[in-house]
Amino acid sequence: QLSFLASNLKNAAGAFKGTSDPYAVVTLIANNNEVGAKPQILGKTEVIKNCLSPHWVKTFEVDYDFSKETRINVSILDKIRKEKNDKPMGTAIFEVGTILGARGNMIAKKLKPSGTIFCKVQKVPMNAPSNTAHFQLAGIKLKKVNGFLKKRNPFFEIYKLFDAGGDGMKKMWSIVYRSEAIMNDLN
């Protein structure tokens, strides 16, 4: 299972157009050794509005074979409303085996012109039991936080703690769910 986050991306929105709304397109690169193999788009992450250090919730599953190189291309784009083409913010290629061999199963790559993208691989056990948690959340009389010419709309995030070093010593929080924003309602 692949997950992605980025930091310090260059704002591609342009002058007086606010902050970029990045999302990532994840593509499985075709293996050169397989005849007729073509790249396969695994999907897109959600768009994170007004953010230059996005932590995407959407994950992607890839079948991995230790005997074959599995490469993933990640393109980060700025979602442009009212235009056909979104603006590119950076691209990186990751090899799944290399990530699995890295400390914490995570690798960072520098982007041009600026920023860093991180790819984390988590092994998903076959026939893993489904664990269920039930939550009831409420936001009552939330503080009204208005930005300049902007209104804020509340949402919530759920994180899980995972072993980032592979040895149980270093723990990190990873986002697993982000709710939709509740528009114009602070109760």
Side-chain angles (χ1 to χ4, degrees):
Q1 188 176 60
L2 304 168
S3 59
F4 301 95
L5 64 107
S7 65
N8 302 317
L9 296 172
K10 181 177 170 83
N11 189 8
F16 307 110
K17 293 188 178 182
T19 305
S20 292
D21 303 327
Y23 69 95
V25 177
V26 181
T27 305
L28 178 62
I29 298 174
N31 190 332
N32 293 339
N33 298 332
E34 295 179 15
V35 178
K38 295 182 179 180
Q40 175 189 354
I41 295 176
L42 299 176
K44 297 177 183 179
T45 65
E46 69 278 12
V47 174
I48 308 288
K49 293 191 175 275
N50 301 317
C51 184
L52 298 178
S53 292
H55 191 150
W56 293 288
V57 174
K58 177 147 176 72
T59 59
F60 302 89
E61 291 196 15
V62 175
D63 290 329
Y64 179 68
D65 180 348
F66 285 100
S67 66
K68 296 180 183 175
E69 185 177 70
T70 304
R71 296 184 314 146
I72 303 293
N73 182 73
V74 183
S75 298
I76 301 175
L77 299 144
D78 180 14
K79 182 72 176 167
I80 308 294
R81 286 177 266 147
K82 301 178 185 174
E83 288 187 29
K84 288 183 180 180
N85 297 324
D86 296 335
K87 289 184 181 178
M89 297 178 75
T91 300
I93 295 175
F94 295 95
E95 203 285 308
V96 174
T98 304
I99 301 168
L100 284 170
R103 185 177 188 124
N105 296 341
M106 184 185 289
I107 286 187
K109 296 231 175 164
K110 292 283 185 191
L111 299 171
K112 291 181 183 177
S114 72
T116 306
I117 183 164
F118 300 83
C119 179
K120 177 164 181 55
V121 176
Q122 290 180 296
K123 299 173 194 172
V124 178
M126 299 294 279
N127 302 322
S130 175
N131 295 327
T132 303
H134 297 276
F135 297 94
Q136 181 173 352
L137 305 172
I140 300 169
K141 296 182 181 177
L142 297 173
K143 183 178 178 183
K144 187 175 183 179
V145 182
N146 288 341
F148 181 69
L149 299 177
K150 294 185 195 175
K151 223 175 197 178
R152 304 292 178 169
N153 300 308
F155 64 93
F156 67 90
E157 297 175 335
I158 297 174
Y159 291 79
K160 75 174 183 176
L161 191 62
F162 71 93
D163 181 10
D167 56 6
M169 299 299 290
K170 184 176 180 188
K171 302 285 187 183
M172 284 182 65
W173 288 98
S174 178
I175 188 168
V176 293
Y177 179 78
R178 180 179 292 116
S179 74
E180 292 184 24
I182 310 297
M183 307 307 280
N184 300 317
D185 188 358
L186 296 177
N187 287 315

